[in-house]
Amino acid sequence: MKDLIQQAPELFHDVRIAPTEDIMPGFEINPEHSQAVITNIGGTERVVRLVSDNYVLTPNKEILQNLATAFGSEDLKIASYTYSKGAQFQAWISIGSQKMAIDAALGDYLGASIRFENSYNGRVKFGFSLGLLRLVCTNGMTSMEQAFHSKRTRHTEAVTSKIAAEHFAEAWESNSEKFLELNLNAIRDFRANAKAMPGDMAEKDEEFLADIGQKAGFPKRQLEEVFDRIYVETESLKTEPDGWIAYNGFNYVLNHNRDILLPEHKRDVIDLKIREALTA
């Protein structure tokens, strides 16, 4: 667990619950707002949400500790993560050393990963979903096939993060090979059918990406970053831009740009529409 904290200290700052009347003495308090969720970042405390007595705080440290226990801490590594004002979090955690070659000649590989989400401001529920991690650029991406198991839960006493983590680990242990095989086949099909980019890395490619982005509902302001990411990947892999590279450019920005504050299910919808637009 210590290693995970060192890899991503921003995920593990202090958070606590206090009676709202303690921080707002003299005010009449709505029963639905009887408790305050308070974060502490660098000694500065901030109220991020008011909740009822039924709310159960689930700190990131508790969730990831339970994941580390269920999977074995030596098998987990935080590959990348995003956070917003210390109150909304998303991280991609690689599982073990299994990997599959998308294009071994180019050094383009995929491994399995856990996508973890949580928030202290109520924007997203804590939960895990299984996905893929593109090892050439630690590009967190959703599964090309529907993940065999996804665990999402509300902050209540009924389903603890320990129970969720244990169920998730059990599902992975019994289905990992099938999951990787299904995704490898799906990606091969996608690469064979995806539209080719014009390839000039100039105006025609910009128009191509703008058209895909519009069809998928991708944030227009981030299109330039997609173009830049595609250039980085083509240089890194020493190859020409194609539909697979284009998809990964969109996917990288969708999952790593901190200005795109979307919950997981909305990211997944855009991700799917990008793939559909590239193969239509």
Side-chain angles (χ1 to χ4, degrees), residues 99-133:
K99 64 180 182 180
M100 54 185 179
I102 301 303
D103 194 326
L106 296 177
D108 195 351
Y109 291 88
L110 288 178
S113 71
I114 301 168
R115 182 165 62 177
F116 151 76
E117 279 194 316
N118 192 30
S119 70
Y120 301 144
N121 58 12
R123 296 287 183 88
V124 296
K125 303 170 187 177
F126 99 73
F128 325 118
S129 58
L130 191 67
L132 301 170
L133 190 70

Side-chain angles (χ1 to χ4, degrees), residues 16-26 29 34 36 38:
R16 66 185 178 92
I17 282 185
T20 305
E21 62 183 13
D22 288 356
I23 59 175
M24 298 177 63
I29 306 299
S34 59
I38 304 171

Side-chain angles (χ1 to χ4, degrees), residues 85-234:
K85 298 179 181 179
Q88 190 171 335
F89 313 90
Q90 187 169 219
W92 292 265
I93 306 168
S94 62
I95 311 172
S97 58
Q98 276 185 293
K99 64 180 182 180
M100 54 185 179
I102 301 303
D103 194 326
L106 296 177
D108 195 351
Y109 291 88
L110 288 178
S113 71
I114 301 168
R115 182 165 62 177
F116 151 76
E117 279 194 316
N118 192 30
S119 70
Y120 301 144
N121 58 12
R123 296 287 183 88
V124 296
K125 303 170 187 177
F126 99 73
F128 325 118
S129 58
L130 191 67
L132 301 170
L133 190 70
R134 192 152 171 259
L135 304 180
V136 67
C137 58
T138 59
N139 180 12
M141 57 186 292
T142 58
S143 167
M144 297 293 280
E145 286 284 336
Q146 181 64 37
F148 71 84
H149 187 81
S150 180
K151 187 68 181 179
R152 307 208 56 77
T153 185
R154 296 180 61 190
H155 293 210
T156 67
E157 295 179 355
V159 180
T160 66
S161 63
K162 182 176 184 294
I163 293 173
E166 289 173 349
H167 288 178
F168 200 80
E170 290 171 4
W172 168 247
E173 183 176 354
S174 60
N175 291 277
S176 57
E177 290 186 8
K178 181 179 179 181
F179 174 79
L180 292 174
E181 181 182 355
L182 283 172
N183 277 283
L184 181 57
N185 291 336
I187 289 169
R188 285 172 174 165
D189 288 343
F190 175 81
R191 292 188 73 196
N193 294 300
K195 297 175 182 177
M197 292 178 63
D200 61 352
M201 289 307 290
E203 184 175 352
K204 289 183 180 179
D205 274 345
E206 289 181 351
E207 292 174 355
F208 174 84
L209 296 175
D211 180 61
I212 297 297
Q214 182 180 23
K215 291 176 179 177
F218 186 87
K220 189 174 181 179
R221 288 181 298 178
Q222 273 71 47
L223 279 173
E224 185 175 349
E225 189 177 346
V226 173
F227 188 83
D228 292 342
R229 184 66 203 178
I230 291 171
Y231 177 78
V232 169
E233 291 213 9
T234 55

Side-chain angles (χ1 to χ4, degrees), residues 33-52:
H33 300 153
S34 59
Q35 298 188 102
V37 181
I38 304 171
T39 59
N40 186 322
I41 304 176
T44 300
E45 288 198 320
R46 179 170 175 259
V47 176
V48 296
R49 189 184 182 193
L50 298 178
V51 296
S52 72

